[in-house]
Amino acid sequence: MSTQVLETPSQVPAPKKNGRVGGGLLDPRQLIRSLPDALRKLNPVTLWRNPVMFVVEVGAVFTTVLAVADPSFFAWAIVVWLWLTVIFANLAEAVAEGRGKAQAATLRAAKRDTTARRLRSSDAVDGDVVGAAELRPGDFVVVEAGEVVPGDGDVVEGIASVDESAITGESAPVIRESGGDRSAVTGGTKVLSDKIIVRITQKPGESFIDRMIALVEGADRQRTPNEIALNILLAALTIVFLVATATMQPLAIYSKLVNPGVPDSVALTSDGVTGIVLVSLIVCLIPTTIGALLSAIGIAGMDRLVQRNVLAMSGRAVEAAGDVSTLLLDKTGTITLGNRQAGEFVPVAGVSEAELAEAAQLSSLADETPEGRSIVVFAKERHGLRERELHGAEWVHFTAQTRMSGVNLGERQIRKGAASAVLRWVRDQGGHPTDEVGRIVDGISASGGTPLVVAERGRVLGVIHLKDVVKQGLRERFDEMRRMGIRTVMITGDNPLTARAIAEEAGVDDFLAEATPEDKLALIKQEQEGGRLVAMTGDGTNDAPALAQADVGVAMNTGTSAAKEAGNMVDLDSNPTKLIEIVEIGKQLLITRGALTTFSIANDVAKYFAIIPAMFAAVYPGLDALNVMRLSSPQSAVMSAVIFNAIVIVVLIPLALRGVRYRPSSASKLLSRNLYVYGLGGIIAPFVGIKLIDLLIHLLPGMS
């Protein structure tokens, strides 16, 4: 395999990509590099997709015209900060997109112009040399050691060692062979040994690398349903504040007519200043903060997946991962290590455990299977038995016919294997096994283990209990899932007794034993009918229907093309436990979006108290009671609010890119925490920030 399975994914750092650990703090140099892209995004044709920032840009253009017609320090200062607000918003998106450009450059280095030997059929010997761009689905190509795979496809003949480091970042080569679930190869990878014949499955320009480049650059990112809904909400709030602000000047005019003796408010000084103040009021009251950061949050969520070597085919899949309520997990390789290991020596009456351990170790010294090696190690750890060289030993290797293995040492003949096979051998040697052996074997089987009987000539010594070892830390992870309201279901082909024992040890909520592809599909549909979103992993063609049905289907990169096409995510490391991390990343995306939306709306409330009293206190003295900040002047209040509104966007860019830290808990607790931290913080921050800015600028010319 290309990478070892992580036992506790939450305890390891994110994989390094291009020399950095994903999700780090914002690099100031990245801001500078992204500035040209931010300026290019000022094009209204591009910006109109973001209605909030489009309104801000229109307001910046309008105030620029007013400042040219009626110039003043106040007018031009507002103009500069309104344009900076738009640029900072574009900068957030540009930085998020820029984080993927280095990854895209690395991928493009792997996407080179290659030639291919196209065969007329899969069994042909000679072929025509063509460019990789000329290959079409269904073509057969032959790839030998040292050559680059010209396109995505499946191995139909041969076996080879393949370097996939250009795609996965892992230097260890992987084996690709015809048949089974390890037949898929990716264009741009390199064959290191032997020769394979590949059937091309993708059109030019639609290869795995092409899709990955489009993803990490953000060029192929579609807005998700939640993002679209939030954009509609932000647009509605913008319209509401536009209408509300449009009434300000008529209200000031009416107040002046009714009470001619009152002084002019800042909303009714001159036509130029009035227009600038009203635009500033609109910009400060509409949700510019979340409007500026919304795209960056979505792009950064995709980026966090790519940093963990997961390719999401759509933003909808990432969002769905955050709303998943049922996780379907394969037992082997996900919940268990996949290789059964020795966990206990159970001797029969009259035999010591040390004697059984010594015979078990001797019979396993030449057994290179993971189970055999675990027996040797277990005997060494439990009884201090050391591996040793045996001279003159005759090794008896396991076969499907005998179903046992062992060793002959002179007069000693030791065997271990399946109970029925070893007991038959004992009887052939003239022995008479007791019923005790059967009871031990049945007990181990009922507990979910695998019994291996050990015998020496005509005498049974005991039974080795092989356990399907559950990975460390998973019970705690499943407890976290439970606190998040996520139900975990283990899927296995084992019998119900074995499945139940492993499920109880691992701490999953439920299990599906003796599962067939039809059973998996039926379980997913049943969960979805109850209104739940389902996530699962798979790698084989038989998993494709279930992967396609699941809301989040994570296909292993080592799997078949059918599995990868059916799923909406591909794990390049082929680590099934990563499904838990994917769910956490999805949750983090949704929480980040919710937290910054809460902060943005709370900001607007605070800015309302900062600006409105300062603007109209002269006309309506009763509003002076709401002027809790006691800002220096109405002009200073407006400018301070505009400056704070622009600066807070830059301050929040790192949080949007990194994401709000996720702590597993219920939805109600998450909501309470967001309201407390980001709601209350969003109200307090503007009061503090605007007051500090006011203190700095109130002595500037034209601001008194």
Side-chain angles (χ1 to χ4, degrees):
M1 291 183 64
S2 60
T3 183
Q4 294 182 347
V5 175
L6 299 176
E7 295 188 6
T8 53
S10 63
Q11 297 175 2
V12 297
K16 283 191 177 182
K17 285 288 181 180
N18 307 310
R20 62 176 174 82
V21 175
L25 292 172
L26 185 65
D27 183 356
R29 291 173 296 180
Q30 202 168 33
L31 286 174
I32 298 173
R33 288 194 298 267
S34 302
L35 190 57
D37 288 334
L39 294 175
R40 281 190 288 269
K41 290 178 180 291
L42 291 174
N43 185 345
V45 176
T46 302
L47 200 61
W48 75 269
R49 301 176 186 275
N50 187 336
V52 176
M53 300 317 301
F54 182 72
V55 169
V56 178
E57 184 175 45
V58 171
V61 172
F62 180 65
T63 54
T64 302
V65 173
L66 293 179
V68 171
D70 187 8
S72 67
F73 176 83
F74 172 76
W76 280 109
I78 294 294
V79 167
V80 169
W81 281 104
L82 289 181
W83 279 112
L84 286 176
T85 302
V86 184
I87 292 172
F88 290 162
N90 292 342
L91 191 62
E93 185 173 0
V95 169
E97 292 174 350
R99 285 158 61 95
K101 288 187 176 180
Q103 293 171 337
T106 302
L107 292 170
R108 281 197 174 94
K111 188 177 181 294
R112 63 196 76 176
D113 292 331
T114 59
T115 57
R117 281 185 288 161
R118 183 170 59 189
L119 305 178
R120 296 179 181 85
S121 64
S122 60
D123 56 356
V125 178
D126 298 324
D128 303 322
V129 177
V130 298
E134 299 179 40
L135 296 175
R136 295 293 181 270
D139 287 347
F140 294 92
V141 296
V142 58
V143 189
E144 297 188 6
E147 297 179 348
V148 174
V149 178
D152 295 357
D154 290 323
V155 178
V156 296
E157 183 179 323
I159 180 172
S161 175
V162 179
D163 176 12
E164 295 187 342
S165 59
I167 306 297
T168 66
E170 296 289 344
S171 58
V174 296
I175 300 299
R176 293 290 178 262
E177 57 186 328
S178 59
D181 294 339
R182 297 183 180 275
S183 60
V185 290
T186 305
T189 59
K190 187 176 183 180
V191 173
L192 300 178
S193 67
D194 304 293
K195 179 177 74 173
I196 52 176
I197 295 177
V198 178
R199 182 180 65 248
I200 300 298
T201 58
Q202 291 291 341
K203 297 178 182 178
E206 298 180 4
S207 69
F208 201 69
I209 291 183
D210 289 316
R211 284 184 290 170
M212 227 178 148
I213 290 172
L215 173 71
V216 299
E217 286 188 327
D220 197 33
R221 194 185 78 90
Q222 301 296 318
R223 294 186 186 275
T224 63
N226 283 351
E227 197 172 343
I228 293 172
L230 187 54
N231 260 318
I232 293 173
L233 173 63
L234 298 182
L237 289 175
T238 301
I239 293 172
V240 168
F241 282 115
L242 275 171
V243 174
T245 306
T247 65
M248 295 291 184
Q249 189 175 20
L251 181 63
I253 295 173
Y254 173 77
S255 300
K256 184 69 174 178
L257 292 175
V258 174
N259 301 298
V262 300
D264 288 341
S265 72
V266 73
L268 190 61
T269 52
S270 68
D271 290 339
V273 173
T274 298
I276 290 173
V277 168
L278 294 178
V279 169
S280 301
L281 183 62
I282 292 172
V283 171
C284 290
L285 296 186
I286 64 176
T288 50
T289 306
I290 186 60
L293 299 173
L294 187 57
S295 293
I297 294 169
I299 295 171
M302 304 281 280
D303 182 57
R304 280 192 290 275
L305 275 181
V306 173
Q307 290 166 11
R308 286 162 176 79
N309 273 1
V310 177
L311 173 61
M313 303 304 180
S314 69
R316 183 190 296 265
V318 186
E319 218 168 60
D323 286 328
V324 158
S325 53
T326 302
L327 277 181
L328 304 186
L329 302 161
D330 277 335
K331 183 204 73 173
T332 304
T334 305
I335 293 175
T336 66
L337 293 177
N339 298 316
R340 296 175 183 265
Q341 298 184 354
E344 186 181 8
F345 292 131
V346 185
V348 298
V351 178
S352 68
E353 186 176 337
E355 183 181 357
L356 172 59
E358 192 258 350
Q361 188 187 63
L362 287 176
S363 65
S364 304
L365 289 175
D367 188 348
E368 294 299 329
T369 65
E371 292 84 357
R373 301 312 302 164
S374 76
I375 293 171
V376 174
V377 172
F378 187 71
K380 174 183 175 182
E381 293 176 347
R382 179 64 65 89
H383 295 281
L385 298 176
R386 301 281 178 180
E387 295 186 44
R388 62 267 201 196
E389 294 288 337
L390 298 180
H391 300 287
E394 179 186 348
W395 301 107
V396 179
H397 296 285
F398 178 88
T399 66
Q401 290 75 30
T402 63
R403 294 193 299 152
M404 61 182 181
S405 60
V407 63
N408 295 331
L409 288 170
E411 295 296 323
R412 297 187 69 182
Q413 296 181 13
I414 304 172
R415 299 290 185 272
K416 79 168 192 305
S420 58
V422 174
L423 292 178
R424 189 184 312 112
W425 177 79
V426 169
R427 294 188 185 96
D428 292 342
Q429 297 291 319
H432 301 283
T434 64
D435 293 341
E436 181 187 5
V437 179
R439 289 194 297 271
I440 296 173
V441 168
D442 291 342
I444 292 174
S445 298
S447 69
T450 300
L452 291 182
V453 176
V454 180
E456 184 170 350
R457 294 189 71 90
R459 184 170 67 115
V460 175
L461 301 179
V463 184
I464 304 170
H465 184 177
L466 293 181
K467 296 181 178 180
D468 210 346
V469 180
V470 174
K471 295 178 180 178
Q472 292 182 354
L474 277 188
R475 176 175 283 276
E476 290 75 16
R477 298 296 295 277
F478 291 144
D479 288 341
E480 291 179 2
M481 296 288 123
R482 202 169 292 111
R483 288 195 295 272
M484 293 156 51
I486 296 176
R487 178 170 170 261
T488 52
V489 181
M490 182 186 76
I491 299 177
T492 177
D494 290 340
N495 63 70
L497 281 176
T498 301
R500 182 180 300 279
I502 295 173
E504 290 177 354
E505 184 179 354
V508 296
D509 298 311
D510 203 351
F511 65 89
L512 178 65
E514 298 176 345
T516 64
E518 293 78 14
D519 293 335
K520 296 178 186 178
L521 188 60
L523 177 60
I524 292 174
K525 289 181 178 179
Q526 178 183 338
E527 292 290 322
Q528 291 172 333
E529 287 172 1
R532 291 178 286 271
L533 268 63
V534 181
M536 75 160 289
T537 61
D539 58 1
T541 301
N542 62 341
D543 292 324
L547 287 171
Q549 181 67 33
D551 300 283
V552 180
V554 184
M556 301 296 101
N557 188 41
T558 55
T560 61
S561 295
K564 290 195 281 189
E565 287 298 321
N568 49 23
M569 291 188 186
V570 178
D571 177 15
L572 302 181
D573 293 332
S574 300
N575 176 8
T577 59
K578 200 177 289 182
L579 180 58
I580 299 174
E581 290 185 81
I582 291 171
V583 170
E584 291 179 349
I585 290 172
K587 293 277 187 188
Q588 187 183 36
L589 170 64
L590 296 180
I591 290 170
T592 301
R593 188 182 295 159
L596 291 183
T597 300
T598 303
F599 184 88
S600 179
I601 294 174
N603 253 288
D604 295 338
V605 173
K607 285 180 283 189
Y608 176 90
F609 280 97
I611 298 177
I612 299 297
M615 289 175 59
F616 291 97
V619 179
Y620 299 104
L623 286 177
D624 192 60
L626 297 178
N627 189 13
V628 294
M629 290 194 221
R630 298 298 167 185
L631 302 178
S632 304
S633 66
Q635 290 87 352
S636 176
V638 172
M639 182 176 291
S640 299
V642 170
I643 293 174
F644 176 84
N645 193 64
I647 292 176
V648 76
I649 294 174
V650 179
V651 172
L652 291 176
I653 289 177
L655 181 62
L657 299 182
R658 185 179 62 246
V660 175
R661 184 180 177 184
Y662 171 66
R663 296 182 180 89
S665 59
S666 64
S668 60
K669 288 183 178 178
L670 288 175
L671 178 60
S672 299
R673 178 175 174 271
N674 274 354
L675 290 175
Y676 180 73
V677 176
Y678 295 97
L680 186 59
I683 291 176
I684 294 174
F687 280 94
V688 176
I690 291 173
K691 182 61 178 178
L692 290 176
I693 294 172
D694 174 72
L695 293 175
L696 293 175
I697 68 173
H698 81 281
L699 295 178
L700 293 176
M703 298 305 299
S704 57

